[in-house]
Amino acid sequence: MLIFSISNTLLKVATDQFDIAKSLAPLIPVAAIAFVVFLIGTIYVLFVQKAPVPITLLEYGAAIVILSLLGVALFLASLKTGKVAEVTAILSISTIAVALISIHFLKVEFNAKEVIGMLMAVASILLFVL
């Protein structure tokens, strides 16, 4: 947690001092080439080598990549305009979101102590941010 705290603080310093999007713009061609190479490799493995990879795994992988990139972009944008402690506190609500999604999709059950802990975590974040 200490390492993540330091990295989030450094991210805030970087977003305050630099326009991250403008700084990373020269890397777009390289990222595009890497993406194309990845796609070619995936097509080769799936259709030439006929590797038994379920389509569902590919769908999950695509969703993970897209949602992760969107999350990082929104996180960096929020760091640019907000205080690092508040942004990180709000980010920690993701634990609660994962728990709620797990209840619905994975049929995970939480005991009363765990539910109270989650409620207290949300309450503490609300008190901190508001």
Side-chain angles (χ1 to χ4, degrees):
M1 295 302 8
L2 178 64
I3 293 170
F4 284 127
S5 300
I6 293 169
S7 74
N8 285 338
T9 305
L10 290 175
L11 267 174
K12 174 61 176 171
V13 170
T15 57
D16 284 349
Q17 292 183 358
F18 305 102
D19 182 355
I20 299 289
K22 189 183 284 185
S23 298
L24 296 178
L27 298 177
I28 291 174
V30 174
I33 291 169
F35 181 72
V36 169
V37 168
F38 174 76
L39 282 179
I40 291 170
T42 302
I43 291 168
Y44 175 77
V45 168
L46 292 177
F47 297 108
V48 175
Q49 295 293 320
K50 299 193 187 311
V53 178
I55 294 297
T56 307
L57 177 60
L58 296 175
E59 291 169 348
Y60 285 142
I64 290 167
V65 168
I66 291 167
L67 292 174
S68 295
L69 289 174
L70 181 61
V72 167
L74 291 173
F75 176 67
L76 290 174
S78 64
L79 276 179
K80 187 112 178 122
T81 59
K83 296 177 182 173
V84 67
E86 290 175 353
V87 171
T88 305
I90 292 169
L91 182 64
S92 67
I93 292 177
S94 68
T95 305
I96 308 302
V98 167
L100 294 174
I101 292 169
S102 296
I103 290 170
H104 181 72
F105 289 106
L106 302 176
K107 308 297 184 222
V108 173
E109 295 181 13
F110 294 97
N111 63 36
K113 183 173 85 172
E114 293 167 332
V115 171
I116 291 169
M118 285 186 261
L119 291 174
M120 290 174 66
V122 170
S124 70
I125 292 167
L126 289 175
L127 287 172
F128 180 71
V129 175
L130 297 177

